[in-house]
Amino acid sequence: MRRFILARLAQAVVSIFVLITVLFFMVRLTGDPVERMIPPQVTEEMANELKRAYGLDKPLLVQYGVFLGGLVTGDLGTSLYFRGRTVGELLSLRILPSLELSVFSMLFSLLIALPLGVYAAKYRGRGSDYVARIFSILGGAAPSFLVGLVMLRIFSVQLQWFPTGGREGLWSVVLPTFTLGWFVSAGIMRLTRSSMLESLYGDYVKLARIKGVRESVVIWKHAFKNAALPVITYATVIFAAVIGGAIVTEYVFAWPGLGSLLIRAVIQRDFPVIQGAVILIGSAFVMCNFLADLAYAWINPKIRYTR
């Protein structure tokens, strides 16, 4: 088990390093950030002075070395758009709202998707199966921005049950949670259903029924435990993707998370903020993959001995 953990941890570290390197050079292909920072009438001399102040006049490899040195010490740099504010400060203000929205969305999706997937497999071809599949199809096909706008129109504008945007109290998280959670639950439900269909026809399930084990125990203890392996992997990975992929939902509901910060940074070519936000999201994605591998190995010990 120790060798398995060390191998997966080494892969995670290499993946993050590759992400950092590719991101650094690709961001600089978008153009000169100084053009966004100064008005057109500013002289070239003043523009060069601004580049020197932010270290943008140095060769690209030198900038890369400075950037890596800052990462080692935990310094992500200073924002070019939010003058005088460090990237770490901006991210610390935005990470909590994004985590809050992601956690609520994942809890909502799991509470909906797992029972629907299990009972859709158990009652395959019946009414509950068709209802679950329609739910998943609509959740996967409906664009998040459209669902969000419809929710705002009905429940915020017409009925006035929830706020139209922002992050003020528990009620403000309900609509964005449903919008994002419905999309996530569609994939989890389909995967749960397909995994359960395989498990329900396994010999261990047949043997449990022959022994007279209660049907609820057969379903949730025997069948679902084995069917949960791919679901755990998908749910763990999708959680990291939700943190960084809720950009549209955050924009529609004016949610002050990482997504809205990243959009503004991209528009303004704020290299340090783009790098910091993407590294944070990418690292979360890689670490969630790492945790999924550990969960897999814990549930199924055979995986520990595979490369």
Side-chain angles (χ1 to χ4, degrees), residues 33-290:
V34 174
E35 296 177 0
R36 300 282 185 175
M37 299 168 62
I38 58 177
Q41 63 271 21
V42 171
T43 63
E44 184 177 352
E45 182 180 351
M46 295 178 65
N48 292 333
E49 183 65 28
L50 191 59
K51 289 182 179 180
R52 283 193 293 271
Y54 284 99
L56 298 174
D57 61 323
K58 299 176 181 178
L60 203 56
L61 290 178
V62 175
Q63 294 183 43
Y64 178 63
V66 173
F67 174 63
L68 289 181
L71 283 180
V72 172
T73 60
D75 182 12
L76 294 171
T78 303
S79 172
L80 305 180
Y81 177 72
F82 300 94
R83 306 290 177 84
R85 304 188 70 177
T86 64
V87 177
E89 178 186 357
L90 293 171
L91 294 180
S92 64
L93 294 174
R94 299 297 187 112
I95 184 63
L96 185 59
S98 288
L99 282 175
E100 179 182 293
L101 179 59
S102 300
V103 168
F104 276 113
S105 299
M106 284 302 301
L107 288 177
F108 170 78
S109 63
L110 290 174
L111 289 174
I112 296 296
L114 293 181
L116 276 179
V118 169
Y119 286 105
K122 176 176 170 55
Y123 301 105
R124 181 183 181 183
R126 301 183 187 178
S128 57
D129 184 20
Y130 290 118
V131 170
R133 282 192 281 178
I134 291 173
F135 175 85
S136 68
I137 291 172
L138 291 177
S144 297
F145 74 90
L146 180 60
V147 175
L149 291 175
V150 171
M151 293 296 102
L152 282 175
R153 176 68 178 178
I154 296 175
F155 296 103
S156 295
V157 178
Q158 295 182 348
L159 299 178
Q160 297 184 358
W161 289 356
F162 304 101
T164 56
R167 179 175 173 254
E168 300 178 0
L170 186 60
W171 289 112
S172 61
V173 78
V174 174
L175 294 184
T177 293
F178 178 83
T179 301
L180 189 58
W182 188 16
F183 174 78
V184 176
S185 65
I188 296 177
M189 197 287 293
R190 288 194 298 268
L191 185 58
T192 303
R193 179 182 180 275
S194 61
S195 297
M196 281 294 296
L197 285 175
E198 295 181 7
S199 296
L200 286 173
Y201 292 99
D203 293 335
Y204 51 90
V205 173
K206 296 177 182 178
L207 181 60
R209 283 173 172 161
I210 293 173
K211 289 181 177 180
V213 179
R214 286 185 303 168
E215 187 64 17
S216 60
V217 177
V218 171
I219 295 296
W220 291 103
K221 183 177 180 181
H222 296 278
F224 181 71
K225 183 179 179 180
N226 289 275
L229 284 172
V231 178
I232 289 174
T233 302
Y234 181 78
T236 306
V237 173
I238 202 67
F239 176 71
V242 166
I243 297 176
I247 296 176
V248 175
T249 304
E250 290 185 3
Y251 182 78
V252 170
F253 292 97
W255 191 262
L258 286 174
S260 55
L261 176 65
L262 188 55
I263 288 179
R264 184 174 299 180
V266 170
I267 293 174
Q268 299 298 330
R269 296 178 188 165
D270 195 341
F271 293 167
V273 174
I274 296 174
Q275 292 166 176
V278 175
I279 289 173
L280 181 61
I281 295 170
S283 299
F285 189 85
V286 172
M287 293 311 298
C288 282
N289 270 287
F290 173 69

